[in-house]
Amino acid sequence: MTPAPVLVGYTADERGDDALALADLYARATGAPLTVANVRPPGWPARGPGSVDAEWTAYLREHSAEVLDLAARRLGDRADTDFVSHPHRGSGRGLAEAARAAGAGLIVIGSAPGGPRGGVAVGSTADQLLHGAPVPVLLAPVGFADAPPPRLERLTVAYRRGREDPLPGAADLAAALDAPVRLVSLVPRPAGLPARFRRGAQDAGDVVARALAAAEDDLADAAARLRDRLPAHLEITTETAEGAGIGAALRSLALLPGELLACQSSHDGPIRKVFLGESSGKIVRAAPCPIVVLPRGNPPE
């Protein structure tokens, strides 16, 4: 069975190149076809009911076609690729519409301009997708296209026991990529906690030590449940990470060159949609590698 297409939002700039490089890497790893989409503005209204400025509309279409031609040249001789020019006033909402039309199983975008090299910056396009996309959203870090890894070699899943379970979506990703999984629990250290109450303290009342122990128990349970969903040859490991906040805990993790990070949408969002909450938002903005945000709710069987 052919995997659902990967849809990448492409613009003729660095963020477009970053997204294209990551989408191509993911699509090749999973055997999925690739759809390259450029969202162009709709035509301007002209005189008369239902009329538009034909000259301006023709220019917008021509410019969008040139952008897609550039993407085709970037991809070289890659097969199984479609190119779509989609009119919409909002780039993120337009990509969501294009993804539905293409039957895509994943949307890939680049980071907003001005973000730190190697980090993820959320702009208006990402903000629209991260609050309503119908499929997982994968964000490329700034500069990813400069030196992409040869493959995506491990999936690290930010895990926290709660109402929304990332394991079904993570299992689908790992199986599609044929990649091992690392389940990680991020344990923020309470503000103002003395240094003696950090990792390794022996005090039985140490709040961090208790939080770490509880996180390790949760991870062991999650790993056992994930094992039933993954092919037997894929390794599952667990790790706790502590820091002054979620971002600091995340940045303390060792990463492989081909690391892919995954986090779950907030339970406050709509079912089967991506919705960035407070914790997931902190994870996305601190991500030091490509990160995919999974929709709320288990995927349909």
Side-chain angles (χ1 to χ4, degrees):
M1 182 177 178
T2 303
V6 172
L7 183 133
V8 54
Y10 186 74
T11 49
D13 53 18
E14 182 183 39
R15 60 179 169 170
D17 290 339
D18 290 338
L20 192 66
L22 179 56
D24 184 40
L25 187 66
Y26 183 96
R28 290 181 185 276
T30 61
L34 185 64
T35 297
V36 182
N38 175 253
V39 177
R40 69 178 195 272
W44 284 353
R47 293 182 179 180
S51 299
V52 296
D53 187 327
E55 184 176 349
W56 176 244
T57 300
Y59 166 77
L60 293 173
R61 287 175 175 167
E62 181 180 350
H63 177 70
S64 185
E66 290 173 353
V67 170
L68 292 173
D69 284 344
L70 177 60
R73 294 196 296 273
R74 292 273 194 270
L75 290 170
D77 59 355
R78 190 191 193 285
D80 295 328
T81 305
D82 290 327
F83 297 89
V84 175
S85 175
H86 188 82
H88 202 286
R89 296 185 186 281
S91 54
R93 291 187 292 273
L95 288 174
E97 283 186 358
R100 290 188 187 95
L106 179 75
I107 299 173
V108 186
I109 57 171
S111 291
R117 303 296 293 183
V120 171
V122 176
S124 59
T125 300
D127 188 63
Q128 290 173 18
L129 286 171
L130 294 174
H131 291 88
V135 294
V137 177
L138 174 58
L139 294 96
V142 177
F144 183 84
D146 294 343
R151 62 189 180 93
L152 296 171
E153 54 191 314
R154 181 173 63 184
L155 178 65
T156 289
V157 182
Y159 179 81
R160 184 179 66 176
R161 183 188 293 275
R163 283 181 282 177
E164 297 304 324
D165 189 354
L167 298 184
D172 289 345
L173 278 175
L177 291 166
D178 196 35
V181 179
R182 175 174 60 166
L183 295 175
V184 171
S185 182
L186 305 174
V187 180
R189 190 168 58 246
L193 193 69
R196 68 187 182 90
F197 285 136
R198 297 178 184 175
R199 182 186 287 273
Q202 300 301 313
D203 191 329
D206 181 353
V207 293
V208 172
R210 285 187 292 173
L212 289 168
E216 288 167 358
D217 289 343
D218 289 344
L219 287 174
D221 174 72
R225 290 188 289 119
L226 183 61
R227 179 76 278 163
D228 294 335
R229 291 180 172 270
L230 283 183
H233 70 279
L234 292 183
E235 181 185 21
I236 302 171
T237 58
T238 63
E239 186 174 343
T240 56
E242 174 219 341
I246 287 178
L250 179 60
R251 289 188 291 270
S252 73
L253 293 169
L255 301 176
L256 298 175
E259 199 82 48
L260 174 61
L261 181 63
C263 70
Q264 183 72 19
S265 291
S266 169
H267 63 262
D268 294 325
I271 195 72
R272 305 207 193 290
K273 294 286 185 70
V274 169
F275 188 86
L276 207 62
E278 181 179 1
S279 295
S280 53
K282 290 177 180 178
I283 293 171
V284 167
R285 289 174 174 84
C289 64
I291 180 167
V292 58
V293 183
L294 303 171
R296 177 182 171 227
N298 297 341
E301 295 294 336

